[in-house]
Amino acid sequence: MTAETIYLLSGAGLVGLAFWRLGTSGDVIRRVLALNVLAVGIAMLLLAAAQDPATVDPVPQAFLLTGIVVLVAVTAALLALGERIGGDCDE
Amino acid sequence: MTLALDLAGIALAAAGVAFLLLAALGVWRLPDTLCRLHALTKADTAGLALVAAGTTCLLPSAGGALSLVLCVVLVAISGATIGHLIGRAHQE
Amino acid sequence: MSTAFDILVALGGLACAGIALVAGNRIGSVAAFVIMGFFVALAWVRLGAPDVALAEAAIGAGLTGALLLRSANRLGPVREAGVPIAVHGIAACLSLALAGGIVWAFATGTAEAVYPSLVAARVGESGVSNPVTAVLLNFRAWDTLLEVAVLVVALLLVSGLAPVRIAPAPPSELVLPFLRIVVPVAVLLAGHLLWKGATAPGGAFQAAALLTGGGLALALCGLLGAGRRTGHVLVLAGLGGLALFLAAALGAAILTGGLLDYPAGSAKVWIIAIESALTLSIAAMLVSLFLGPSEGVRDDR
């Protein structure tokens, strides 16, 4: 089993976990956490797919760097919105 | 010579990991916040320092040792400060 | 040996993600999320992406963790409405199917990697030798420009919502000496990472994350000034980075005719100038996203 396969499986696992939680939780912070886990899982998938021992593929890496910074901004905005509505998503 | 250095490195790192495990065990099993802090702050810093010392022995060149030293110093300082802050917050 | 390590890291990340998403204790779940960030950063070092791993450890784990803790403190304990067991079952089945589908798609797909050879062929003209920085600030600088615009939009949204501003704790005896050592070291390391980013893992985002850490340490001890002026300076610094990036894009377009197509030979000067401005402005925006808008702007609810 190569590193690529292992991390591919773990990325898929993270995406699955995040979707399950997004579908079943009504708590703002849990949903934001699930969104973050989802992003990490997708990043893991992209890196595992780009993995090649011989060469480094810089394009997915640059996208992920951008994605990480955008995600923290989105998280801050969502949390500010969540604090404003008092923490319940479904009311 | 290299073999002795490698062995020393592995022994130091293993000792560091043992310290970290003890710290984790302490945080898990000890009864209250102050006891846990007592276990965590010291064993954690010592464990990291030992792991860094072990890694320095295993490094191919001496240049990387500088960043490891910086790392250990920063963790020691912040560990002490955070322990102090948690202890204070606990008393209030 | 290394396979065992990979499996441990992958399982550790998954387990921490599970704890973060199910734990009933807010602090525990955020702590598990932060630890997951470090497992993931380790995994990405193993996958040959140290730039992304650095950013994930500093921003994904550190800064997001701090944001979540801040909101957890304000929102109180977890309030779950209690979803029927059937919904749980359906969601679990669908998620499993999705995860299985992803594994199948990635395992059977046989796309040839096209970018590495293209980037390797042109990296010499980009002005920097770290291919990731070359992509971020030369080949796809357009994306980075839009990313800064996204940060500005998020900052405007947060300012509009006017969340409660953080009340700093009075600093105790040990905190001032701590800050005297840590903040200068953070600034130094940020400069180092920014400069090293041209040739080695590092760059504007990682440097900005370090500066943000230093800024938050100062602000949480009440030393950054909680007044209206500091807030305005931070927002202006954020907007200034975007303005400078836009000006650079326009200037490059006038000089060479291509958008963010730097004049030949001086690409490194352009990249370092843009990166320095970006570092300061991203750090300023992240600090104000964490702290909320300046005092006095907020209305009484």
Side-chain angles (χ1 to χ4, degrees):
Chain A
M1 209 146 130
T2 59
E4 191 187 323
T5 331
I6 295 167
Y7 291 122
L8 176 62
L9 287 174
S10 98
L14 288 174
V15 170
L17 257 175
F19 264 111
W20 166 71
R21 204 63 223 182
L22 273 175
T24 55
S25 178
D27 187 75
V28 164
I29 293 190
R30 275 197 180 158
R31 282 193 180 178
V32 175
L33 268 171
L35 195 69
N36 274 278
V37 172
L38 178 64
V40 165
I42 293 172
M44 189 83 102
L45 287 176
L46 282 178
L47 281 181
Q51 224 263 339
D52 181 359
T55 55
V56 174
D57 192 347
V59 176
Q61 294 195 23
F63 284 170
L64 294 184
L65 272 174
T66 313
I68 287 173
V69 178
V70 168
L71 182 70
V72 76
V74 170
T75 304
L78 285 179
L79 288 174
L81 280 167
E83 284 173 17
R84 189 73 179 210
I85 61 172
D88 293 311
C89 290
D90 294 329
E91 282 171 28
Chain B
M1 184 55 207
T2 359
L3 183 71
L5 213 57
D6 280 0
L7 284 179
I10 293 169
L12 280 170
V17 171
F19 265 95
L20 290 172
L21 270 180
L22 270 180
L25 197 68
V27 172
W28 181 33
R29 296 301 298 175
L30 285 175
D32 64 36
T33 308
L34 290 181
C35 291
R36 287 179 185 169
L37 267 184
H38 172 69
L40 181 68
T41 43
K42 283 159 224 135
D44 204 29
T45 316
L48 184 82
L50 283 172
V51 171
T55 320
T56 314
C57 296
L58 297 175
L59 281 177
S61 67
L66 191 67
S67 39
L68 283 169
V69 169
L70 184 66
C71 197
V72 169
V73 169
L74 281 177
V75 167
I77 297 171
S78 53
T81 315
I82 289 164
H84 163 78
L85 284 177
I86 297 178
R88 256 175 86 109
H90 175 72
Q91 277 195 336
E92 280 162 9
Chain C
M1 184 63 202
S2 62
T3 309
F5 181 76
D6 286 332
I7 293 177
L8 263 182
V9 168
L11 284 182
L14 277 172
C16 287
I19 297 173
L21 294 179
V22 247
N25 176 349
R26 278 269 158 84
I27 309 280
S29 95
V30 176
F33 175 76
V34 172
I35 297 170
M36 182 203 80
F38 289 116
F39 272 115
V40 168
L42 264 181
W44 291 351
V45 172
R46 293 279 305 152
L47 286 174
D51 293 89
V52 195
L54 264 176
E56 168 66 20
I59 304 179
L63 193 59
T64 311
L67 270 169
L68 287 165
L69 271 183
R70 181 205 69 179
S71 296
N73 194 24
R74 288 181 190 163
L75 285 174
V78 178
R79 278 170 294 174
E80 283 287 16
V83 183
I85 194 88
V87 176
H88 269 286
I90 294 170
C93 288
L94 286 177
S95 312
L96 259 180
L98 179 72
I102 289 172
V103 171
W104 176 77
F106 274 86
T108 55
T110 49
E112 200 59 31
V114 283
Y115 299 122
S117 52
L118 286 177
V119 173
R122 302 280 305 267
V123 82
E125 326 164 9
S126 71
V128 289
S129 59
N130 178 4
V132 179
T133 308
V135 171
L136 270 177
L137 283 146
N138 197 332
F139 305 143
R140 300 284 306 183
W142 182 230
D143 285 342
T144 311
L145 175 61
L146 286 179
E147 173 214 337
V148 182
V150 170
L151 273 178
V152 169
V153 171
L155 183 58
L156 292 180
L157 174 66
V158 170
S159 311
L161 285 168
V164 189
R165 216 186 143 78
I166 289 181
S172 61
E173 309 82 43
L174 261 182
V175 171
L176 280 179
F178 170 70
L179 289 178
R180 279 198 194 107
I181 300 170
V182 167
V183 174
V185 171
V187 174
L188 258 180
L189 282 181
H192 173 75
L193 270 179
L194 176 64
W195 183 250
K196 284 287 276 191
T199 53
F205 298 150
Q206 293 86 346
L210 265 177
L211 273 188
T212 312
L216 285 185
L218 282 179
L220 289 178
C221 297
L223 297 175
L224 199 63
R228 181 183 294 207
R229 191 181 292 164
T230 321
H232 287 180
V233 168
L234 285 176
V235 172
L236 279 181
L239 292 177
L242 179 62
L244 201 135
F245 204 162
L246 273 176
L250 282 177
I254 291 168
L255 284 176
T256 64
L259 190 73
L260 283 165
D261 203 358
Y262 309 123
S266 60
K268 176 153 188 177
V269 180
W270 286 75
I271 289 181
I272 292 286
I274 294 176
E275 272 201 303
S276 314
L278 278 189
T279 304
L280 288 176
S281 102
I282 293 176
M285 284 195 276
L286 290 178
V287 169
S288 27
L289 278 176
F290 184 89
L291 293 178
S294 50
E295 249 169 39
V297 178
R298 179 172 156 244
D299 59 343
D300 293 313
R301 281 178 220 158

